[in-house]
Amino acid sequence: MEKTKNKSAFLTKTLEIFKKIGRGIKIFFTKMYSNKKSAIGFSIILLYVIVAIVGPLLFPYDSTVNTANKYLAPSLEHPFGTDWMGLDVFRQVISGTSSVLQVAFFTAFLSIALGTVLGILSGYVGGWVDRVIMTIVNIFLSVPSFPVYLMMAALFTIETPITMALMISIFSWAGLCRAIRVQVISLKESDFIQICRVMNMSTGHIIFKEIMPNLFSYIAVNFVLILRGSILASVGIMLVGLASYNPTDWGVIIQAARMRGLMNVNNVIIMLYPLVAILIFQIAALMLSQGLDETINPRLKVL
Amino acid sequence: MEEKTWNEEAKRPSAFKRAGRAVLRFFKKNEYIFSKIGFSLLTLALTTIFLFFLLRQIPGDIVDIYAQQLQYSRGLPYERAYELAVQLLNYNPNENIFAAFFRYVGGLLRGELGESYLQEGVSANLLIEQRLPWTLFISSVALFISFFLGVAIGGYVAQRRNGIANKIASGYIAVTGAIPDYLMALLMVTLFAYQLKIFPSQNNFDIFTVTPGFNIDFILNVLYHAALPILSSAIIQTGYWIMQMRGSCIGILGSDYIFSARARGLSERTIRKKYMNKNALLPLVASFGVAFGGLFGGSVLLESIFNYPGIGLEITARITSKDYVVVQGLVFFSAAMIIIVNLIVDLIYPLIDPRVKRG
Amino acid sequence: MQNEQTPLMQLKDINMHFKKPGLQLGSKNIHVLKDVNLDIYPGEIVAVIGESGCGKTTLGKIITGLFRPTSGEIWFDGKKVSGLFDKKINSYAQIQFIQQDSYAALNPVRTIYQSLYAPIKTMHRKWKKSQIDERIEELMSLIGLQPSEQFLTKYPHQLSGGQRQRILMARAISLDPKLIVADEPVSMIDVSLRLSLLNLMKELNAKLNMSFVYISHDLSTTRYIASSGRVCVMYLGEIVESGNIGDVIQTPRHPYTRALIQAVPIPDPRFKGEGKLPLKSMGVGSLESRTQGCAFEERCLYSCEKCFGSVKYVQTETASVLCNNLEAVPSHPIYKTD
């Protein structure tokens, strides 16, 4: 009797959790599409994600060199033409999507996680913890990030997107941390948080159920901004030649084309494809972040 | 000592005490200043430590590599080269790390930022002297152009929110926001330099045709070479400043005192000149200051694309050639400049913004 | 009314200092409350009135435990208490707080239901959802917001000020407190709605025997709600007069209270006031540099040399008054009532 009761209780609990997740996902999508800007931005990014996952399966990248096919014009078989080694550019771009997006999303997740945790800690606990964390944040905001990226890239060769993500996160979390800390401090003094203490609520409850929901909108916007920034940083590092772990990564293609000489128009055209791919992603991310910002803060609707 | 009699004189505390109290009052009155300075020093110190220990993570026996290089370039026996390598790197693997750190800091305080092992007599200080002016040249010109242009346009469109100018501005912001300066530089180089051949694609001036100095040929040549870097950077940055200025102005224009100024019958032009500009610019000036500090980081990629001999390019080149000591010195210098400029901005800002009180 | 019961809560010689923020090189101390003594009995309504900045909100926060007094003792239910999470009091939630700004007092990203659910769940961890829902339903009917589904699913910004204020009350009583501190609960509500809220509080006081500490700067609402209770008049952090509210309003004894009552214009030509406030000056003393003597001295018309020494409480038939020179102060009723 006990066992069946426990089993059914377990099943109902898991069902409840699934229902909650389902509801959460529905709310997520509704929020994304509620605003025209964010709808477009989100759709494009979603498209990129799908391409990253499904693309290599549909258009596998074949790295056999065939110099006879050098610099072919765009055709049905090679929608973007071929490069100096006869390799199909279109498939290169598709194959590189995954690596680019991996860097972007990992960096965003890491930076957000680190920045949020430390920001809440710093803002809520205050005292010397706050001062220590803020000093560290200040350091990371003062040191010029790019030279240090180069230093680290040279010292520890970057071999996977995750390593790259780790490295870029080191400088991305600081800005978010400071902003979250400011918000937490102001929330801490607000009436509705003070009354939680009068009502004897535990600190955990206050932080997770009362303070964090107020931060979600800010975190969402910053997530998208970090996506943008990390792509810029990673492409930048590749342009200097320090992170060629994936020859189809967009930054590497651009760098390779540059190295081959931009006097040659063919190289320029080859460089343009991944460049435009990057640009479209950036614009989509920008629109998404602006759209989210507008839904959260309707007063910002400028146009 | 005479006995202190109960009169006025005896009540006066000693001069020492008075001086001490005056010092305390001085510190207390300028609390804000001193706390900011102290904080900056702390950040600087921690940055030094961070960079120092970062460099210690170099894999492989770097001393050995250096020693071999020195052996080759200066024709020294290995033991002598090894000693020299240790000295240059400030890195004796057998030495206590704290002692090494203190030696490094000692050197820093004397102004030595690090010496190169590839070329004799080349130190980070020298490189800064040679390269920094060029970096600052293109970066600050770009910054100034984009700032003033952006602020002017931003202020203009903020007052005409429904006009076509605003729509164009928004489009411009969107596009330039998406393109980083180095990608814009690539596009510009490809278009104007390689294909159309209007502007040069490399270097800061033509060594073969002009001689450095204050002659008109040299100056024109420098400007000619600097055109593309400055242009690509400025085009992108202008978008940013337009956005900032417009946002700030819109915030101001929505406030009650502007509303009452309009009710009093002041023209838009007067409102713009007397109220909007000054108020909206305040936070922007702070941003500008911070951006100026950031210039010292050198736009690494921009310089790399144009092969422009600035600090950024230098850092890149030296990293790839493993001249880490110089790199550390250059990066430290950039970080220190950023911290100092931020400090200056923090100290000056209260003087112009009466809302931020000191102490 | 004070009877032979033991007081629910006692504040003894409470002093509160705040430090002025900044580097503490010779910190500036702001002496907000000075030697405050207050007894609150079960089922009683005590009103605390005074002008802005006199320390009444600080007093309220000390009672609820949000601030810890710099010195003095707090006794609750006969046991000595030191701070909010004193183990001796089983869940200090027996003292609750209703804030002035109903909009700021509710979490803007949580529905009303969630805001009511959370404190109940915190207090009764073992209750099932159905039990908590029942209790919420009870509360909604108590405060008069029916049908409850219409309100529970809304966010704070979707309700009106009066409705929100009622929700605050529901939240406060949901934890079955013995004492509720209400900090100017009706000052942000339309005048036409104030009566219904005040009636609600009086009802709760009568039905559930909850004590109220009603903090306000508005005499009329105070008189309405504490119609059979006590009032404490505060000035610059000290209680200058305390007694039965009817008596104090009709026959104030302390010069400050007299000025306060006379400052309220009465729209009836029969009650012609004296035309001028019985004050020496309009300057308010500073909390940073307190003198040893009476804080009201520089404005008081009846000040004398006695007022510069430490001031004692004098017990009259109507009230307990903080004044050294009480004989000089006129003691006739302010307005003749008929």
Side-chain angles (χ1 to χ4, degrees):
Chain A
M1 216 22 198
E2 270 288 310
K3 264 205 179 157
T4 38
K5 213 175 13 159
N6 283 340
K7 244 202 243 177
S8 61
F10 178 69
L11 278 177
T12 33
K13 264 260 169 92
T14 20
L15 212 64
E16 262 187 48
I17 297 180
F18 271 117
K19 265 198 250 169
K20 271 201 188 150
I21 296 181
R23 245 181 299 154
I25 295 184
K26 204 173 95 176
I27 297 179
F28 176 71
F29 272 88
T30 355
K31 284 235 173 91
M32 289 294 163
Y33 282 97
S34 58
N35 179 304
K36 209 165 44 150
K37 270 196 200 171
S38 62
I40 301 179
F42 184 71
S43 310
I44 296 182
I45 295 186
L46 198 59
L47 185 66
Y48 273 66
V49 172
I50 295 177
V51 165
I53 301 176
V54 167
L57 301 172
L58 290 179
F59 306 100
Y61 173 60
D62 179 15
S63 53
T64 46
V65 177
N66 186 352
T67 40
N69 283 344
K70 238 188 348 178
Y71 293 133
L72 287 180
S75 62
L76 258 186
E77 198 193 323
H78 303 288
F80 289 168
T82 57
D83 67 358
W84 48 85
M85 290 201 291
L87 299 165
D88 180 22
V89 175
F90 178 67
R91 286 164 193 253
Q92 282 187 43
V93 171
I94 300 264
S95 133
T97 317
S98 147
S99 134
V100 169
L101 288 185
Q102 271 185 53
V103 170
F105 279 97
F106 278 132
T107 315
F109 277 120
L110 284 174
S111 309
I112 300 269
L114 197 59
T116 312
V117 166
L118 287 183
I120 292 183
L121 197 65
S122 178
Y124 197 78
V125 174
W128 63 267
V129 171
D130 179 29
R131 277 194 279 243
V132 164
I133 295 183
M134 275 300 111
T135 320
I136 299 179
V137 163
N138 249 324
I139 296 179
F140 282 107
L141 289 177
S142 307
V143 175
S145 59
F146 213 74
V148 177
Y149 286 153
L150 297 182
M151 263 171 75
M152 295 206 279
L155 294 176
F156 323 100
T157 28
I158 302 185
E159 289 175 9
T160 61
I162 302 188
T163 331
M164 171 85 94
L166 267 173
M167 199 182 74
I168 301 183
S169 308
I170 295 185
F171 283 93
S172 317
W173 66 273
L176 183 73
C177 184
R178 191 150 70 167
I180 287 200
R181 165 188 176 263
V182 164
Q183 292 208 12
V184 169
I185 288 183
S186 82
L187 281 174
K188 206 171 58 153
E189 296 307 314
S190 63
D191 279 348
F192 64 89
I193 298 288
Q194 287 203 330
I195 198 139
C196 290
R197 289 161 54 204
V198 177
M199 295 196 287
N200 224 7
M201 293 189 188
S202 68
T203 317
H205 172 97
I206 296 181
I207 293 184
F208 289 110
K209 289 252 177 85
E210 305 284 339
I211 292 189
M212 276 208 69
N214 279 296
L215 299 173
F216 276 157
S217 52
Y218 191 75
I219 293 180
V221 174
N222 262 276
F223 186 86
V224 179
L225 289 178
I226 296 186
L227 282 183
R228 286 189 61 209
S230 65
I231 290 198
L232 289 187
S234 71
V235 167
I237 298 180
M238 288 175 201
L239 277 191
V240 190
L242 282 171
S244 317
Y245 54 87
N246 183 349
T248 58
D249 198 314
W250 302 342
V252 181
I253 299 180
I254 299 180
Q255 168 68 347
R258 225 188 100 210
M259 284 291 103
R260 292 228 149 221
L262 290 175
M263 299 290 205
N264 187 338
V265 186
N266 289 314
N267 288 338
V268 172
I269 298 183
I270 294 176
M271 180 186 81
L272 281 180
Y273 291 114
L275 202 118
V276 170
I278 296 176
L279 285 186
I280 296 182
F281 186 86
Q282 301 287 64
I283 298 182
L286 191 63
M287 291 181 74
L288 180 59
S289 75
Q290 280 183 348
L292 284 180
D293 217 9
E294 277 177 15
T295 38
I296 293 159
N297 225 342
R299 282 180 302 152
L300 284 181
K301 277 213 172 91
V302 171
L303 275 185
Chain B
M1 285 294 236
E2 319 87 3
E3 274 215 87
K4 289 218 170 79
T5 48
W6 187 249
N7 55 19
E8 306 284 298
E9 278 188 48
K11 280 201 190 155
R12 224 158 149 250
S14 70
F16 182 66
K17 260 198 195 162
R18 273 185 293 131
R21 278 197 209 142
V23 168
L24 224 63
R25 254 180 296 137
F26 175 70
F27 272 108
K28 205 168 66 128
K29 229 170 67 170
N30 302 316
E31 249 174 64
Y32 181 79
I33 300 181
F34 284 114
S35 69
K36 287 275 181 221
I37 294 182
F39 198 68
S40 296
L41 284 176
L42 183 65
T43 314
L44 195 60
L46 289 174
T47 310
T48 317
I49 299 179
F50 173 67
L51 287 176
F52 180 78
F53 284 99
L54 186 62
L55 211 57
R56 285 278 174 276
Q57 306 310 314
I58 306 173
D61 196 358
I62 192 70
V63 192
D64 188 46
I65 300 175
Y66 269 46
Q68 286 184 6
Q69 168 65 27
L70 285 171
Q71 201 180 11
Y72 172 70
S73 66
R74 306 195 198 181
L76 300 164
Y78 185 74
E79 296 76 31
R80 183 81 188 93
Y82 195 85
E83 270 174 37
L84 198 56
V86 163
Q87 195 184 40
L88 283 180
L89 275 177
N90 257 327
Y91 182 45
N92 190 340
N94 311 314
E95 191 186 8
N96 181 348
I97 200 162
F98 291 108
F101 181 67
F102 279 112
R103 251 190 321 119
Y104 173 65
V105 172
L108 271 186
L109 290 173
R110 280 194 297 256
E112 296 164 5
L113 286 172
E115 278 186 36
S116 164
Y117 76 107
L118 287 171
Q119 303 135 313
E120 185 152 5
V122 171
S123 72
N125 305 50
L126 185 69
L127 290 172
I128 292 176
E129 229 181 273
Q130 285 180 339
R131 314 282 236 179
L132 187 63
W134 293 106
T135 300
L136 284 185
F137 172 54
I138 44 172
S139 305
S140 49
V141 171
L143 181 62
F144 276 97
I145 294 181
S146 57
F147 181 74
F148 285 108
L149 208 58
V151 161
I153 299 180
Y156 181 78
V157 287
Q159 279 196 312
R160 296 161 182 69
R161 282 173 68 170
N162 298 320
I164 190 144
N166 198 10
K167 294 207 167 64
I168 299 180
S170 296
Y172 185 79
I173 294 175
V175 170
T176 57
I179 309 179
D181 58 354
Y182 55 84
L183 285 186
M184 175 57 110
L186 268 182
L187 289 174
M188 302 280 279
V189 155
T190 322
L191 183 60
F192 290 107
Y194 289 127
Q195 300 305 317
L196 296 180
K197 301 225 187 336
I198 302 182
F199 284 103
S201 67
Q202 308 260 304
N203 299 320
N204 49 349
F205 61 87
D206 224 337
I207 308 194
F208 303 114
T209 47
V210 288
T211 44
F214 271 112
N215 50 25
I216 202 83
D217 276 338
F218 177 66
I219 294 180
L220 280 180
N221 198 276
V222 164
L223 288 176
Y224 184 54
H225 278 85
L228 276 186
I230 295 182
L231 211 59
S232 16
S233 186
I235 292 182
I236 303 290
Q237 282 192 57
T238 310
Y240 175 73
W241 291 113
I242 295 182
M243 183 171 73
Q244 295 286 85
M245 181 64 173
R246 183 178 72 177
S248 181
C249 285
I250 288 181
I252 302 255
L253 288 175
S255 19
D256 286 342
Y257 66 91
I258 298 285
F259 185 67
S260 61
R262 289 204 180 112
R264 279 183 281 145
L266 293 179
S267 73
E268 286 299 309
R269 204 160 138 240
T270 322
I271 292 182
R272 180 172 74 236
K273 276 204 234 171
K274 288 213 164 153
Y275 294 113
M276 186 183 82
N277 281 340
K278 290 190 210 150
N279 286 300
L281 273 177
L282 280 179
L284 256 69
V285 166
S287 294
F288 178 81
V290 171
F292 191 78
L295 290 184
F296 288 92
S299 185
V300 176
L301 285 169
L302 212 63
E303 293 173 11
S304 155
I305 291 173
F306 288 105
N307 211 21
Y308 205 85
I311 290 247
L313 188 61
E314 195 60 35
I315 293 182
T316 320
R318 302 252 157 207
I319 286 181
T320 36
S321 61
K322 294 203 197 310
D323 201 352
Y324 295 126
V325 186
V326 170
V327 168
Q328 177 180 30
L330 294 175
V331 173
F332 175 77
F333 176 75
S334 310
M337 292 313 313
I338 294 179
I339 295 177
I340 291 178
V341 171
N342 280 347
L343 177 66
I344 295 179
V345 170
D346 271 341
L347 292 180
I348 292 189
Y349 193 68
L351 293 175
I352 52 176
D353 188 348
R355 292 173 295 181
V356 177
K357 281 203 290 198
R358 300 199 316 213
Chain C
M1 296 299 261
Q2 289 163 3
N3 41 29
E4 305 314 313
Q5 285 182 314
T6 42
L8 184 64
M9 169 155 240
Q10 287 178 295
L11 298 174
K12 298 192 183 176
D13 297 321
I14 297 286
N15 277 283
M16 186 72 187
H17 290 97
F18 282 121
K19 283 215 169 106
K20 221 173 166 192
L23 290 185
Q24 302 306 324
L25 289 171
S27 49
K28 282 222 165 99
N29 238 333
I30 308 182
H31 193 167
V32 177
L33 291 177
K34 180 172 166 191
D35 298 327
V36 169
N37 282 283
L38 185 61
D39 290 348
I40 306 171
Y41 290 87
E44 171 180 40
I45 298 186
V46 176
V48 177
I49 56 175
E51 53 193 39
S52 313
C54 71
K56 35 191 216 295
T57 305
T58 315
L59 184 63
K61 290 198 169 164
I62 288 183
I63 297 179
T64 40
L66 282 174
F67 288 159
R68 202 175 284 210
T70 332
S71 72
E73 296 178 352
I74 309 181
W75 291 68
F76 183 72
D77 234 356
K79 304 182 208 116
K80 189 157 138 193
V81 163
S82 49
L84 182 59
F85 298 113
D86 196 282
K87 299 288 194 315
K88 290 199 203 123
I89 300 202
N90 190 6
S91 153
Y92 206 67
Q94 301 196 312
I95 304 182
Q96 281 302 314
F97 193 46
I98 297 179
Q99 280 125 334
Q100 180 178 2
D101 185 354
S102 61
Y103 188 60
L106 289 167
N107 195 335
V109 295
R110 287 214 149 330
T111 59
I112 302 297
Y113 176 75
Q114 288 167 324
S115 292
L116 289 176
Y117 184 92
I120 302 180
K121 182 76 179 175
T122 312
M123 188 160 196
H124 306 278
R125 288 192 190 282
K126 298 242 159 84
W127 279 17
K128 293 215 203 3
K129 184 167 184 298
S130 47
Q131 287 174 285
I132 302 185
D133 287 353
E134 227 179 279
R135 178 88 174 115
I136 293 183
E137 190 58 45
E138 234 181 276
L139 291 166
M140 295 296 277
S141 78
L142 205 63
I143 57 171
L145 285 181
Q146 301 278 8
S148 46
E149 305 80 52
Q150 202 182 335
F151 297 98
L152 289 176
T153 49
K154 291 219 160 79
Y155 287 93
H157 65 271
Q158 296 172 303
L159 297 179
S160 77
Q163 292 166 334
R164 279 198 296 265
Q165 200 60 263
R166 287 170 191 264
I167 303 282
L168 288 194
M169 285 188 210
R171 187 170 65 177
I173 54 181
S174 68
L175 298 173
D176 299 315
K178 294 203 182 136
L179 169 66
I180 293 186
V181 177
D183 188 0
E184 305 207 41
V186 291
S187 62
M188 284 179 115
I189 312 283
D190 300 335
V191 177
S192 45
L193 294 175
R194 286 185 189 173
L195 214 57
S196 57
L197 279 162
L198 293 174
N199 281 333
L200 182 58
M201 282 198 270
K202 289 176 78 162
E203 227 181 276
L204 293 172
N205 168 253
K207 252 206 243 176
L208 305 172
N209 205 35
M210 277 178 196
S211 312
F212 271 85
V213 173
Y214 182 84
I215 302 176
S216 176
H217 58 266
D218 175 20
L219 269 179
S220 44
T221 53
T222 309
R223 187 165 63 178
Y224 185 79
I225 196 171
S227 48
S228 53
R230 273 188 300 149
V231 65
C232 296
V233 181
M234 285 189 71
Y235 182 74
L236 277 189
E238 298 176 288
I239 296 186
V240 298
E241 181 163 354
S242 68
N244 177 283
I245 194 163
D247 295 333
V248 168
I249 291 192
Q250 192 181 4
T251 318
R253 298 305 305 275
H254 191 277
Y256 175 66
T257 327
R258 292 188 75 83
L260 202 61
I261 308 280
Q262 285 184 55
V264 180
I266 295 192
D268 185 333
R270 288 176 294 170
F271 295 109
K272 266 217 187 90
E274 324 220 331
K276 258 184 11 177
L277 283 179
L279 292 175
K280 213 162 49 173
S281 80
M282 291 304 274
V284 182
S286 152
L287 288 175
E288 287 175 18
S289 44
R290 270 190 191 275
T291 57
Q292 220 222 344
C294 180
F296 189 61
E297 187 276 325
E298 62 178 310
R299 298 171 87 176
C300 186
L301 284 176
Y302 316 102
S303 65
C304 66
E305 328 78 49
K306 279 190 274 179
C307 301
F308 291 99
S310 86
V311 198
K312 304 262 187 320
Y313 280 97
V314 173
Q315 185 66 39
T316 69
E317 333 67 73
T318 49
S320 156
V321 187
L322 183 72
C323 187
N324 277 351
N325 199 16
L326 199 53
E327 318 82 50
V329 184
S331 55
H332 56 260
I334 298 282
Y335 297 107
K336 283 211 281 279
T337 51
D338 37 287

